[in-house]
Amino acid sequence: MYYFDTHAHYDDAAFDADREQLIKDMYDFGVKKIINVGADVESSLKSIELAKKYDFFYAAVGVHPYDVGEMCENDIKLLQKCFNYYKVVAVGEIGLDYHYENTDRDKQKYWFKKQLELAENVEKPVIIHSRDAAEDTFEIIAQSRIRSGVIHAFSGSAELAREYVKLGFHIGIGGVITFKNAKKLIKVANEMPMSRILLETDAPYLTPEPYRGGRNNSQNLQFVAAKIGDIKQIDPSEVIKSSSENAEMLFLR
């Protein structure tokens, strides 16, 4: 049994001071696989460097909706070339984020669709970011040919989660599940079969209780697994084992 963190950002500057030691400590703790996820072209390339340096790291490459403003067609070509390296396992994180009023929604939609097409071309799963854009995100995915991936940091309803599962998607659950106001996500975790749940941290972000507000890292998956186990009335070891098997099947088969 081991932890598989399906979404982290260890290229982030928050880890510059102690990255190497922290990564060693995580492996010793039992985190045996990590996907470092790109948010733009630069961080995507850094994710690949981490995957080359550490045997238990893998990379996802893509451009976050916040960062599509300067995207061009050459970026898609560059991202596609990244898949020549066997440890690049997904396109992500990609999607829509309408949280801020000045968001260029049309541009986000355009590059979201383009990156879904990239995933189709390279035959890889996707890692989806969706914030305050549930309807458009689901519609674009449903109209695409992509039927493999994870909805990262899922924040929708149990009904929406079921619709994503029908499309072939997994539901990513991280530290938010431990928050006091996480009633909607708790309902999702309770209703989703374990076969469709993935564990993730989004490190250094979304740190679970009891360390909320601090820097997140993959060792904190223990608190996520414990909370899901409590919700579903199963042993946390079953959550860890099942979620890691799910991640293996989705990203590494």
Side-chain angles (χ1 to χ4, degrees):
M1 184 186 72
Y2 65 92
Y3 292 95
F4 191 140
D5 188 350
T6 60
H7 196 118
H9 301 280
Y10 285 105
D11 59 290
D12 193 281
F15 298 109
D16 284 353
D18 60 349
R19 183 178 290 107
E20 193 154 344
Q21 184 60 51
L22 180 63
I23 288 173
K24 180 184 183 300
D25 292 345
M26 287 187 300
Y27 188 84
D28 293 343
F29 177 80
V31 183
K32 301 299 185 184
K33 288 187 170 63
I34 296 172
I35 298 177
N36 205 79
V37 181
D40 54 25
V41 171
E42 181 182 1
S43 62
S44 293
L45 296 177
K46 287 181 178 179
S47 295
I48 293 173
E49 290 306 308
L50 286 171
K52 289 180 176 178
K53 184 173 183 178
Y54 300 105
D55 288 344
F56 68 109
F57 267 65
Y58 297 84
V61 299
V63 179
H64 187 287
Y66 279 173
D67 295 291
V68 299
E70 303 301 320
M71 272 196 85
C72 63
E73 296 297 335
N74 281 339
D75 291 331
I76 295 292
K77 293 177 182 177
L78 192 157
L79 292 173
Q80 182 154 351
K81 288 181 180 178
C82 290
F83 287 92
N84 291 333
Y85 182 48
Y86 76 101
K87 291 181 78 179
V88 179
V89 298
V91 175
E93 73 188 88
I94 64 174
L96 301 174
D97 194 317
Y98 296 166
H99 185 66
Y100 296 105
E101 290 184 5
N102 61 348
T103 296
D104 188 336
R105 297 187 179 190
D106 288 338
K107 185 168 285 187
Q108 285 196 13
K109 290 176 185 178
Y110 177 84
W111 288 111
F112 182 26
K113 291 174 183 177
K114 281 288 186 180
Q115 292 183 92
L116 288 173
E117 289 173 8
L118 168 63
E120 182 182 350
N121 290 338
V122 297
E123 299 181 330
K124 294 292 184 180
V126 292
I127 296 172
I128 301 295
H129 173 106
S130 179
R131 187 184 189 197
D132 297 337
E135 185 175 341
D136 283 353
T137 304
F138 182 82
E139 181 179 347
I140 288 172
I141 291 173
Q143 290 176 355
S144 78
R145 297 182 182 180
I146 299 299
R147 294 296 180 264
S148 177
V150 55
I151 311 303
H152 158 60
F154 187 81
S155 59
S157 65
E159 291 77 14
L160 182 60
R162 286 194 293 269
E163 292 303 310
Y164 272 119
V165 167
K166 289 177 185 176
L167 289 181
F169 280 77
H170 290 72
I171 303 300
I173 298 179
V176 174
I177 193 74
T178 69
F179 298 174
K180 290 181 180 179
N181 61 347
K183 293 180 181 179
K184 189 162 63 171
L185 185 55
I186 287 171
K187 188 173 189 289
V188 169
N190 185 48
E191 294 190 16
M192 283 300 98
M194 269 311 308
S195 61
R196 286 292 163 175
I197 291 176
L198 299 181
L199 297 186
E200 56 179 34
T201 58
D202 205 23
Y205 313 108
L206 299 181
T207 309
E209 299 288 358
Y211 300 117
R212 185 178 182 181
R215 184 185 69 171
N216 203 3
N217 74 76
S218 300
Q219 293 184 49
N220 290 331
L221 289 175
Q222 62 181 306
F223 303 111
V224 179
K227 182 64 177 182
I228 294 173
D230 181 60
I231 293 166
K232 300 182 81 65
Q233 298 186 325
I234 58 177
D235 193 275
S237 63
E238 186 176 337
V239 176
I240 298 164
K241 181 176 183 293
S242 180
S243 62
S244 295
E245 289 174 350
N246 298 341
E248 288 268 357
M249 286 294 295
L250 178 61
F251 295 112
L252 305 184
R253 56 186 168 86

